[in-house]
PDB file of all heavy atoms in Angstrom:
ATOM      1  N   GLY A  97      -6.189   2.540  15.574  1.00 72.00           N
ATOM      2  CA  GLY A  97      -5.727   2.138  14.220  1.00 72.00           C
ATOM      3  C   GLY A  97      -6.257   2.929  13.146  1.00 72.00           C
ATOM      4  O   GLY A  97      -5.528   3.287  12.228  1.00 72.00           O
ATOM      5  N   ILE A  98      -7.549   3.342  13.175  1.00 74.00           N
ATOM      6  CA  ILE A  98      -8.112   4.224  12.097  1.00 74.00           C
ATOM      7  C   ILE A  98      -7.543   5.593  12.250  1.00 74.00           C
ATOM      8  O   ILE A  98      -7.040   6.233  11.254  1.00 74.00           O
ATOM      9  CB  ILE A  98      -9.657   4.155  12.246  1.00 74.00           C
ATOM     10  CG1 ILE A  98     -10.172   2.774  11.858  1.00 74.00           C
ATOM     11  CG2 ILE A  98     -10.282   5.187  11.232  1.00 74.00           C
ATOM     12  CD1 ILE A  98     -11.666   2.584  12.233  1.00 74.00           C
ATOM     13  N   ASN A  99      -7.609   6.212  13.472  1.00 70.00           N
ATOM     14  CA  ASN A  99      -7.238   7.549  13.512  1.00 70.00           C
ATOM     15  C   ASN A  99      -5.824   7.846  13.465  1.00 70.00           C
ATOM     16  O   ASN A  99      -5.267   8.826  12.852  1.00 70.00           O
ATOM     17  CB  ASN A  99      -7.810   8.170  14.849  1.00 70.00           C
ATOM     18  CG  ASN A  99      -9.312   8.259  14.947  1.00 70.00           C
ATOM     19  OD1 ASN A  99      -9.990   8.362  13.916  1.00 70.00           O
ATOM     20  ND2 ASN A  99      -9.825   8.397  16.047  1.00 70.00           N
ATOM     21  N   GLU A 100      -4.943   6.987  14.103  1.00 74.00           N
ATOM     22  CA  GLU A 100      -3.515   7.319  14.157  1.00 74.00           C
ATOM     23  C   GLU A 100      -2.725   6.670  13.047  1.00 74.00           C
ATOM     24  O   GLU A 100      -1.752   7.196  12.534  1.00 74.00           O
ATOM     25  CB  GLU A 100      -2.957   6.844  15.507  1.00 74.00           C
ATOM     26  CG  GLU A 100      -3.517   7.601  16.735  1.00 74.00           C
ATOM     27  CD  GLU A 100      -3.185   6.850  18.071  1.00 74.00           C
ATOM     28  OE1 GLU A 100      -2.069   6.249  18.076  1.00 74.00           O
ATOM     29  OE2 GLU A 100      -3.893   7.118  18.961  1.00 74.00           O
ATOM     30  N   ALA A 101      -3.209   5.488  12.654  1.00 76.00           N
ATOM     31  CA  ALA A 101      -2.281   4.839  11.612  1.00 76.00           C
ATOM     32  C   ALA A 101      -2.994   4.813  10.266  1.00 76.00           C
ATOM     33  O   ALA A 101      -2.443   4.208   9.342  1.00 76.00           O
ATOM     34  CB  ALA A 101      -2.093   3.297  12.141  1.00 76.00           C
ATOM     35  N   GLY A 102      -4.242   5.195  10.104  1.00 79.00           N
ATOM     36  CA  GLY A 102      -4.784   5.205   8.839  1.00 79.00           C
ATOM     37  C   GLY A 102      -5.052   3.847   8.300  1.00 79.00           C
ATOM     38  O   GLY A 102      -4.715   3.579   7.144  1.00 79.00           O
ATOM     39  N   ILE A 103      -5.499   2.905   9.073  1.00 84.00           N
ATOM     40  CA  ILE A 103      -5.443   1.503   8.597  1.00 84.00           C
ATOM     41  C   ILE A 103      -6.565   1.380   7.487  1.00 84.00           C
ATOM     42  O   ILE A 103      -7.539   2.069   7.532  1.00 84.00           O
ATOM     43  CB  ILE A 103      -5.655   0.386   9.684  1.00 84.00           C
ATOM     44  CG1 ILE A 103      -7.006   0.609  10.414  1.00 84.00           C
ATOM     45  CG2 ILE A 103      -4.481   0.411  10.570  1.00 84.00           C
ATOM     46  CD1 ILE A 103      -7.357  -0.530  11.349  1.00 84.00           C
ATOM     47  N   TYR A 104      -6.483   0.306   6.686  1.00 86.00           N
ATOM     48  CA  TYR A 104      -7.169   0.042   5.513  1.00 86.00           C
ATOM     49  C   TYR A 104      -8.317  -0.886   6.167  1.00 86.00           C
ATOM     50  O   TYR A 104      -9.533  -0.763   5.750  1.00 86.00           O
ATOM     51  CB  TYR A 104      -6.416  -0.674   4.464  1.00 86.00           C
ATOM     52  CG  TYR A 104      -7.167  -1.224   3.223  1.00 86.00           C
ATOM     53  CD1 TYR A 104      -7.739  -0.350   2.298  1.00 86.00           C
ATOM     54  CD2 TYR A 104      -7.466  -2.518   3.124  1.00 86.00           C
ATOM     55  CE1 TYR A 104      -8.383  -0.700   1.249  1.00 86.00           C
ATOM     56  CE2 TYR A 104      -8.138  -2.965   2.019  1.00 86.00           C
ATOM     57  CZ  TYR A 104      -8.609  -2.090   1.015  1.00 86.00           C
ATOM     58  OH  TYR A 104      -9.377  -2.562  -0.060  1.00 86.00           O
ATOM     59  N   GLN A 105      -7.822  -1.851   6.975  1.00 83.00           N
ATOM     60  CA  GLN A 105      -8.843  -2.891   7.563  1.00 83.00           C
ATOM     61  C   GLN A 105      -8.322  -3.372   8.879  1.00 83.00           C
ATOM     62  O   GLN A 105      -7.146  -3.284   9.050  1.00 83.00           O
ATOM     63  CB  GLN A 105      -9.071  -4.036   6.595  1.00 83.00           C
ATOM     64  CG  GLN A 105      -9.996  -3.784   5.448  1.00 83.00           C
ATOM     65  CD  GLN A 105     -10.994  -4.843   5.222  1.00 83.00           C
ATOM     66  OE1 GLN A 105     -10.829  -5.992   5.525  1.00 83.00           O
ATOM     67  NE2 GLN A 105     -12.144  -4.418   4.882  1.00 83.00           N
ATOM     68  N   TYR A 106      -9.274  -3.740   9.717  1.00 84.00           N
ATOM     69  CA  TYR A 106      -8.978  -4.298  10.931  1.00 84.00           C
ATOM     70  C   TYR A 106      -9.604  -5.748  10.965  1.00 84.00           C
ATOM     71  O   TYR A 106     -10.759  -5.897  10.956  1.00 84.00           O
ATOM     72  CB  TYR A 106      -9.584  -3.517  12.143  1.00 84.00           C
ATOM     73  CG  TYR A 106      -9.071  -3.846  13.553  1.00 84.00           C
ATOM     74  CD1 TYR A 106      -8.102  -3.107  14.147  1.00 84.00           C
ATOM     75  CD2 TYR A 106      -9.563  -5.015  14.213  1.00 84.00           C
ATOM     76  CE1 TYR A 106      -7.609  -3.304  15.372  1.00 84.00           C
ATOM     77  CE2 TYR A 106      -9.011  -5.316  15.451  1.00 84.00           C
ATOM     78  CZ  TYR A 106      -8.100  -4.523  16.179  1.00 84.00           C
ATOM     79  OH  TYR A 106      -7.631  -4.839  17.332  1.00 84.00           O
ATOM     80  N   LEU A 107      -8.645  -6.757  10.810  1.00 85.00           N
ATOM     81  CA  LEU A 107      -9.100  -8.096  10.728  1.00 85.00           C
ATOM     82  C   LEU A 107      -9.009  -8.931  11.937  1.00 85.00           C
ATOM     83  O   LEU A 107      -8.010  -8.661  12.681  1.00 85.00           O
ATOM     84  CB  LEU A 107      -8.339  -8.894   9.568  1.00 85.00           C
ATOM     85  CG  LEU A 107      -8.274  -8.251   8.169  1.00 85.00           C
ATOM     86  CD1 LEU A 107      -7.350  -8.959   7.323  1.00 85.00           C
ATOM     87  CD2 LEU A 107      -9.795  -8.291   7.643  1.00 85.00           C
ATOM     88  N   LEU A 108      -9.811  -9.781  12.216  1.00 83.00           N
ATOM     89  CA  LEU A 108      -9.806 -10.540  13.520  1.00 83.00           C
ATOM     90  C   LEU A 108      -9.257 -12.010  13.313  1.00 83.00           C
ATOM     91  O   LEU A 108      -9.503 -12.607  12.279  1.00 83.00           O
ATOM     92  CB  LEU A 108     -11.214 -10.713  14.107  1.00 83.00           C
ATOM     93  CG  LEU A 108     -11.836  -9.329  14.567  1.00 83.00           C
ATOM     94  CD1 LEU A 108     -13.246  -9.553  15.147  1.00 83.00           C
ATOM     95  CD2 LEU A 108     -10.942  -8.807  15.746  1.00 83.00           C
ATOM     96  N   LYS A 109      -8.464 -12.560  14.317  1.00 85.00           N
ATOM     97  CA  LYS A 109      -8.080 -13.822  14.267  1.00 85.00           C
ATOM     98  C   LYS A 109      -9.088 -14.579  14.912  1.00 85.00           C
ATOM     99  O   LYS A 109      -9.767 -14.114  15.892  1.00 85.00           O
ATOM    100  CB  LYS A 109      -6.793 -13.936  15.088  1.00 85.00           C
ATOM    101  CG  LYS A 109      -5.632 -13.384  14.481  1.00 85.00           C
ATOM    102  CD  LYS A 109      -4.369 -13.420  15.436  1.00 85.00           C
ATOM    103  CE  LYS A 109      -3.155 -12.729  14.890  1.00 85.00           C
ATOM    104  NZ  LYS A 109      -2.048 -12.959  15.810  1.00 85.00           N
ATOM    105  N   PRO A 110      -9.354 -15.823  14.701  1.00 86.00           N
ATOM    106  CA  PRO A 110      -8.776 -16.583  13.632  1.00 86.00           C
ATOM    107  C   PRO A 110      -9.335 -16.136  12.256  1.00 86.00           C
ATOM    108  O   PRO A 110     -10.479 -15.845  12.138  1.00 86.00           O
ATOM    109  CB  PRO A 110      -9.247 -18.014  13.862  1.00 86.00           C
ATOM    110  CG  PRO A 110     -10.469 -17.998  14.639  1.00 86.00           C
ATOM    111  CD  PRO A 110     -10.399 -16.669  15.434  1.00 86.00           C
ATOM    112  N   TRP A 111      -8.436 -16.114  11.234  1.00 86.00           N
ATOM    113  CA  TRP A 111      -8.777 -15.694   9.988  1.00 86.00           C
ATOM    114  C   TRP A 111      -9.104 -16.835   8.972  1.00 86.00           C
ATOM    115  O   TRP A 111      -8.700 -17.869   9.152  1.00 86.00           O
ATOM    116  CB  TRP A 111      -7.689 -14.786   9.441  1.00 86.00           C
ATOM    117  CG  TRP A 111      -6.320 -15.286   9.658  1.00 86.00           C
ATOM    118  CD1 TRP A 111      -5.476 -15.109  10.728  1.00 86.00           C
ATOM    119  CD2 TRP A 111      -5.513 -16.229   8.832  1.00 86.00           C
ATOM    120  NE1 TRP A 111      -4.302 -15.724  10.541  1.00 86.00           N
ATOM    121  CE2 TRP A 111      -4.300 -16.376   9.435  1.00 86.00           C
ATOM    122  CE3 TRP A 111      -5.727 -16.668   7.562  1.00 86.00           C
ATOM    123  CZ2 TRP A 111      -3.233 -17.246   8.813  1.00 86.00           C
ATOM    124  CZ3 TRP A 111      -4.852 -17.633   7.011  1.00 86.00           C
ATOM    125  CH2 TRP A 111      -3.681 -17.747   7.713  1.00 86.00           C
ATOM    126  N   GLN A 112      -9.900 -16.422   8.035  1.00 88.00           N
ATOM    127  CA  GLN A 112     -10.183 -17.378   7.016  1.00 88.00           C
ATOM    128  C   GLN A 112      -9.268 -17.253   5.741  1.00 88.00           C
ATOM    129  O   GLN A 112      -9.260 -16.128   5.326  1.00 88.00           O
ATOM    130  CB  GLN A 112     -11.717 -17.352   6.508  1.00 88.00           C
ATOM    131  CG  GLN A 112     -12.745 -17.473   7.677  1.00 88.00           C
ATOM    132  CD  GLN A 112     -12.577 -18.932   8.198  1.00 88.00           C
ATOM    133  OE1 GLN A 112     -12.636 -19.887   7.493  1.00 88.00           O
ATOM    134  NE2 GLN A 112     -12.654 -19.130   9.595  1.00 88.00           N
ATOM    135  N   PRO A 113      -8.622 -18.259   5.367  1.00 88.00           N
ATOM    136  CA  PRO A 113      -7.656 -18.110   4.195  1.00 88.00           C
ATOM    137  C   PRO A 113      -8.131 -17.328   3.051  1.00 88.00           C
ATOM    138  O   PRO A 113      -7.535 -16.317   2.477  1.00 88.00           O
ATOM    139  CB  PRO A 113      -7.207 -19.413   3.814  1.00 88.00           C
ATOM    140  CG  PRO A 113      -7.372 -20.249   5.045  1.00 88.00           C
ATOM    141  CD  PRO A 113      -8.605 -19.586   5.767  1.00 88.00           C
ATOM    142  N   GLU A 114      -9.322 -17.719   2.591  1.00 90.00           N
ATOM    143  CA  GLU A 114      -9.939 -17.121   1.402  1.00 90.00           C
ATOM    144  C   GLU A 114     -10.243 -15.552   1.594  1.00 90.00           C
ATOM    145  O   GLU A 114      -9.929 -14.757   0.782  1.00 90.00           O
ATOM    146  CB  GLU A 114     -11.246 -17.879   0.966  1.00 90.00           C
ATOM    147  CG  GLU A 114     -11.093 -19.260   0.587  1.00 90.00           C
ATOM    148  CD  GLU A 114     -11.022 -20.126   1.889  1.00 90.00           C
ATOM    149  OE1 GLU A 114     -11.612 -19.655   2.890  1.00 90.00           O
ATOM    150  OE2 GLU A 114     -10.593 -21.318   1.760  1.00 90.00           O
ATOM    151  N   GLN A 115     -10.777 -15.313   2.751  1.00 89.00           N
ATOM    152  CA  GLN A 115     -11.158 -13.858   3.084  1.00 89.00           C
ATOM    153  C   GLN A 115      -9.878 -13.043   3.187  1.00 89.00           C
ATOM    154  O   GLN A 115      -9.873 -11.855   2.812  1.00 89.00           O
ATOM    155  CB  GLN A 115     -11.967 -13.858   4.390  1.00 89.00           C
ATOM    156  CG  GLN A 115     -12.509 -12.465   4.686  1.00 89.00           C
ATOM    157  CD  GLN A 115     -13.433 -11.922   3.621  1.00 89.00           C
ATOM    158  OE1 GLN A 115     -14.331 -12.759   3.099  1.00 89.00           O
ATOM    159  NE2 GLN A 115     -13.319 -10.734   3.237  1.00 89.00           N
ATOM    160  N   LEU A 116      -8.887 -13.623   3.934  1.00 90.00           N
ATOM    161  CA  LEU A 116      -7.667 -12.848   3.980  1.00 90.00           C
ATOM    162  C   LEU A 116      -7.026 -12.492   2.694  1.00 90.00           C
ATOM    163  O   LEU A 116      -6.611 -11.469   2.390  1.00 90.00           O
ATOM    164  CB  LEU A 116      -6.648 -13.597   4.967  1.00 90.00           C
ATOM    165  CG  LEU A 116      -5.359 -13.108   5.223  1.00 90.00           C
ATOM    166  CD1 LEU A 116      -5.575 -11.850   6.211  1.00 90.00           C
ATOM    167  CD2 LEU A 116      -4.367 -14.064   5.721  1.00 90.00           C
ATOM    168  N   LEU A 117      -6.951 -13.544   1.805  1.00 91.00           N
ATOM    169  CA  LEU A 117      -6.470 -13.398   0.530  1.00 91.00           C
ATOM    170  C   LEU A 117      -7.163 -12.401  -0.294  1.00 91.00           C
ATOM    171  O   LEU A 117      -6.602 -11.458  -0.907  1.00 91.00           O
ATOM    172  CB  LEU A 117      -6.493 -14.784  -0.235  1.00 91.00           C
ATOM    173  CG  LEU A 117      -5.478 -14.990  -1.314  1.00 91.00           C
ATOM    174  CD1 LEU A 117      -4.006 -14.663  -0.883  1.00 91.00           C
ATOM    175  CD2 LEU A 117      -5.560 -16.440  -1.787  1.00 91.00           C
ATOM    176  N   LEU A 118      -8.509 -12.382  -0.283  1.00 91.00           N
ATOM    177  CA  LEU A 118      -9.260 -11.420  -0.964  1.00 91.00           C
ATOM    178  C   LEU A 118      -9.006  -9.966  -0.549  1.00 91.00           C
ATOM    179  O   LEU A 118      -8.859  -9.045  -1.230  1.00 91.00           O
ATOM    180  CB  LEU A 118     -10.819 -11.718  -0.855  1.00 91.00           C
ATOM    181  CG  LEU A 118     -11.331 -12.794  -1.677  1.00 91.00           C
ATOM    182  CD1 LEU A 118     -12.694 -13.146  -1.392  1.00 91.00           C
ATOM    183  CD2 LEU A 118     -11.210 -12.357  -3.150  1.00 91.00           C
ATOM    184  N   THR A 119      -8.829  -9.855   0.875  1.00 92.00           N
ATOM    185  CA  THR A 119      -8.547  -8.557   1.540  1.00 92.00           C
ATOM    186  C   THR A 119      -7.255  -8.004   1.192  1.00 92.00           C
ATOM    187  O   THR A 119      -7.134  -6.887   0.697  1.00 92.00           O
ATOM    188  CB  THR A 119      -8.711  -8.571   3.143  1.00 92.00           C
ATOM    189  OG1 THR A 119      -9.993  -9.116   3.398  1.00 92.00           O
ATOM    190  CG2 THR A 119      -8.366  -7.237   3.656  1.00 92.00           C
ATOM    191  N   LEU A 120      -6.237  -8.803   1.083  1.00 92.00           N
ATOM    192  CA  LEU A 120      -4.901  -8.417   0.752  1.00 92.00           C
ATOM    193  C   LEU A 120      -4.884  -8.141  -0.780  1.00 92.00           C
ATOM    194  O   LEU A 120      -4.074  -7.243  -1.249  1.00 92.00           O
ATOM    195  CB  LEU A 120      -3.877  -9.440   1.081  1.00 92.00           C
ATOM    196  CG  LEU A 120      -3.291  -9.071   2.473  1.00 92.00           C
ATOM    197  CD1 LEU A 120      -4.249  -9.149   3.570  1.00 92.00           C
ATOM    198  CD2 LEU A 120      -2.078  -9.791   2.760  1.00 92.00           C
ATOM    199  N   GLN A 121      -5.562  -8.936  -1.638  1.00 91.00           N
ATOM    200  CA  GLN A 121      -5.607  -8.567  -3.110  1.00 91.00           C
ATOM    201  C   GLN A 121      -6.194  -7.303  -3.214  1.00 91.00           C
ATOM    202  O   GLN A 121      -5.776  -6.440  -4.173  1.00 91.00           O
ATOM    203  CB  GLN A 121      -6.291  -9.740  -3.775  1.00 91.00           C
ATOM    204  CG  GLN A 121      -5.372 -10.968  -3.911  1.00 91.00           C
ATOM    205  CD  GLN A 121      -6.216 -12.292  -4.375  1.00 91.00           C
ATOM    206  OE1 GLN A 121      -7.449 -12.181  -4.251  1.00 91.00           O
ATOM    207  NE2 GLN A 121      -5.462 -13.183  -4.858  1.00 91.00           N
ATOM    208  N   SER A 122      -7.290  -7.100  -2.626  1.00 88.00           N
ATOM    209  CA  SER A 122      -7.982  -5.827  -2.658  1.00 88.00           C
ATOM    210  C   SER A 122      -7.055  -4.601  -2.230  1.00 88.00           C
ATOM    211  O   SER A 122      -7.117  -3.483  -2.829  1.00 88.00           O
ATOM    212  CB  SER A 122      -9.283  -5.775  -1.766  1.00 88.00           C
ATOM    213  OG  SER A 122      -9.830  -4.589  -1.675  1.00 88.00           O
TER     214      SER A 122
END
Side-chain angles (χ1 to χ4, degrees):
I98 293 167
N99 292 341
E100 297 173 24
I103 62 168
Y104 177 75
Q105 283 228 327
Y106 193 102
L107 303 173
L108 293 175
K109 293 178 182 178
W111 43 270
Q112 299 298 316
E114 302 81 20
Q115 188 60 45
L116 180 73
L117 204 49
L118 282 173
T119 300
L120 266 68
Q121 288 169 339
S122 171

